[in-house]
Amino acid sequence: MTSFDTSPQLNASRALLALAVVFVMLATTGWTALRNQRNTTELQSSISSWEHGRIAGHRLPDPDDSTSAALSRFFASLTAQQRSALARRYPLAVGNMNGAPVELRYRANRIALGQARKVELKRMHDSRLSADGQRQAGHRMQRFEALMNTKRKILAFDPAGSGRVAEVFGNLDKAQRISVVVPGVDTDLLTFQRTYRKYSAPVGMAKSLYAAEKAASPSTRTAVIAWADYTAPGGLGLDSATAARAEGGAVRLNALVRALPGSTPVSLFCHSYGSVVCGVAAHSLPERVADIAVAGSPGMRVGNAAQLHTSAQVWAMRDADDWIQDVPYLELGGLGHGADPVSSAFGARVLSAADAKGHSGYFEPGTESLLNFAEIGVGAYRSVHCAKDDEACRAGLSGTVAG
């Protein structure tokens, strides 16, 4: 159990009352969202085929052996034609393979998206499906078609269930700083990008941050990843009140960061439940992760920043109008996510979120929250604006910018 304020122990009756409120909300408001879970295993099938495949008479390497850089060495040993042949033969496996060259992953995922689009096109006219099922297939088909655009850089893609996806803005191979946007609840293939309230969706968040970083330091080569490559909770239900989805997401986030090209600094920008993912992952992340910045956080599954056991700078912000501040900041019996990251007792560097509107407005252009994220993303720590308009959040940091 963790504390909301500076007192060493949380009053037991207060904790029970807060949890009772959570249970009542879960029982009476219908917050838990239904998700479309189709039992498709295209990615598993592609990986299985890879495991039994050969090239030039030799068996293909273990697809999960990216931690030892064996996959990177394997792909480097191939000719361009051989790499292309593997992408065509095993598009989902290669497209999601940490250790494969990023440009090859982009090509493989474009092939996989084309195959998934054909499946949904057939389902749109499948008389065995309900009208709602056919409409859902149409929505998925349109999303796959949009992601197939040759200008888009899809780093990960899995059509199973509600789907997972990650997209890159900028050049990962040449970047001097890399930022990863980790979103929260209700994130899937269909909500990956929005036209209305676009900066509340991963693509809008990442594009906005990328533009702000370029404006903050035009000479710094940056890349930003919109990372929706984990199974997020559906709605504000029981899944979002526990760490189950965060634990799976943390494994995938750690694998992503460890497979990024080069050794340039990485900054994580974690929104809402995404901050739970980042909190769970923190202790296992490589030292190249320079920053973990959370916005609108329900907690990071710890009582204070030191318990994250990370060498990264820990930053936090919350807008005054964000409803997340009314969530009980505690953990009891697996429910809740721990202490408030913007509280003085937590020990994070607390940033200003001026001009952000509500829970989903932190990446809106023109906000101080986005400007702060951009300054962190390019390493201009001395330029960030602290929440209390003082020097506290910048103490002990240099203002070095890459480039």
Side-chain angles (χ1 to χ4, degrees):
M1 182 166 61
T2 54
S3 173
F4 174 79
D5 53 25
T6 57
S7 61
Q9 295 292 330
L10 182 67
N11 180 276
S13 61
R14 179 181 167 201
L16 292 173
L17 177 61
L19 285 175
V21 171
V22 173
F23 281 123
V24 169
M25 290 192 300
L26 292 177
T28 62
T29 61
W31 277 355
T32 303
L34 295 176
R35 296 173 74 85
N36 173 34
Q37 294 292 339
R38 294 188 297 115
N39 294 321
T40 52
T41 58
E42 294 96 332
L43 177 55
Q44 291 87 341
S45 296
S46 186
I47 292 173
S48 179
S49 296
W50 169 281
E51 290 173 336
H52 293 88
R54 289 178 174 272
I55 190 164
H58 300 287
R59 290 184 61 86
L60 299 176
D62 182 350
D64 294 323
D65 197 18
S66 59
T67 54
S68 65
L71 285 172
S72 296
R73 292 194 297 270
F74 165 71
F75 281 105
S77 72
L78 302 178
T79 66
Q81 291 80 5
Q82 288 174 323
R83 287 192 289 269
S84 294
L86 290 176
R88 290 192 301 270
R89 199 180 308 164
Y90 314 105
L92 275 173
V94 174
N96 290 277
M97 195 171 288
N98 291 317
V102 293
E103 292 291 340
L104 187 65
R105 291 179 68 171
Y106 300 156
R107 276 187 277 154
N109 282 321
R110 194 167 298 120
I111 295 169
L113 280 160
Q115 294 174 348
R117 177 189 174 278
K118 291 179 181 178
V119 170
E120 298 303 332
L121 190 60
K122 291 180 180 178
R123 295 182 71 243
M124 285 174 60
H125 306 288
D126 189 339
S127 60
R128 295 170 296 180
L129 294 179
S130 66
D132 185 61
Q134 290 176 336
R135 281 193 296 271
Q136 187 79 348
H139 292 322
R140 287 169 62 89
M141 188 275 293
Q142 292 171 356
R143 175 49 46 86
F144 297 159
E145 198 168 66
L147 292 171
M148 286 174 63
N149 188 305
T150 55
K151 294 182 179 179
R152 302 187 73 164
K153 302 173 181 178
I154 306 304
L155 187 66
F157 167 65
D158 182 0
S162 54
R164 297 194 300 252
V165 62
E167 182 172 7
V168 176
F169 299 91
N171 189 321
L172 270 184
D173 286 316
K174 295 183 178 180
Q176 295 168 296
R177 303 276 309 198
I178 298 173
S179 298
V180 182
V181 174
V182 183
V185 299
D186 283 333
T187 298
D188 56 31
L189 275 166
L190 294 182
T191 60
F192 184 59
Q193 183 173 3
R194 293 190 179 104
T195 301
Y196 173 67
R197 297 177 62 244
K198 64 180 180 179
Y199 300 114
S200 66
V203 168
M205 291 177 178
K207 290 179 74 172
S208 182
L209 179 58
Y210 181 58
E213 287 181 350
K214 289 176 69 177
S217 180
S219 63
T220 303
R221 296 191 302 275
T222 64
V224 180
I225 302 173
W227 189 77
D229 193 26
Y230 81 106
T231 303
L236 300 181
L238 191 59
D239 276 347
S240 66
T242 69
R245 297 295 177 90
E247 289 167 355
V251 172
R252 300 184 68 81
L253 180 61
N254 186 41
L256 165 82
V257 174
R258 290 184 179 278
L260 291 174
S263 58
T264 54
V266 176
S267 299
L268 306 182
F269 298 93
C270 321
H271 177 247
S272 194
Y273 189 85
S275 67
V276 185
V277 177
C278 291
V280 175
H283 75 280
S284 61
L285 293 169
E287 289 189 2
R288 71 181 296 188
V289 176
D291 309 283
I292 300 175
V294 303
S297 174
M300 301 180 74
R301 303 296 297 183
V302 292
N304 56 62
Q307 293 175 358
L308 292 170
H309 300 294
T310 177
S311 59
Q313 297 294 334
V314 181
W315 309 83
M317 66 169 71
R318 186 175 65 219
D319 175 58
D321 297 327
D322 192 336
W323 58 261
I324 202 76
Q325 63 191 305
D326 297 323
V327 170
Y329 281 97
L330 53 88
E331 188 277 320
L332 186 62
L335 285 175
H337 300 302
D340 183 356
V342 302
S343 68
S344 58
F346 190 84
R349 297 174 182 272
V350 184
L351 298 161
S352 170
D355 304 318
K357 301 298 182 184
H359 186 61
S360 301
Y362 294 98
F363 291 84
E364 288 276 351
T367 59
E368 201 158 87
S369 53
L370 177 64
L371 176 59
N372 274 330
F373 279 167
E375 300 288 12
I376 292 169
V378 298
Y381 300 129
R382 295 297 299 170
S383 298
V384 301
H385 293 78
C386 301
K388 296 182 179 179
D389 199 24
D390 57 22
E391 296 284 333
C393 74
R394 298 189 293 266
L397 296 176
S398 69
T400 303
V401 177

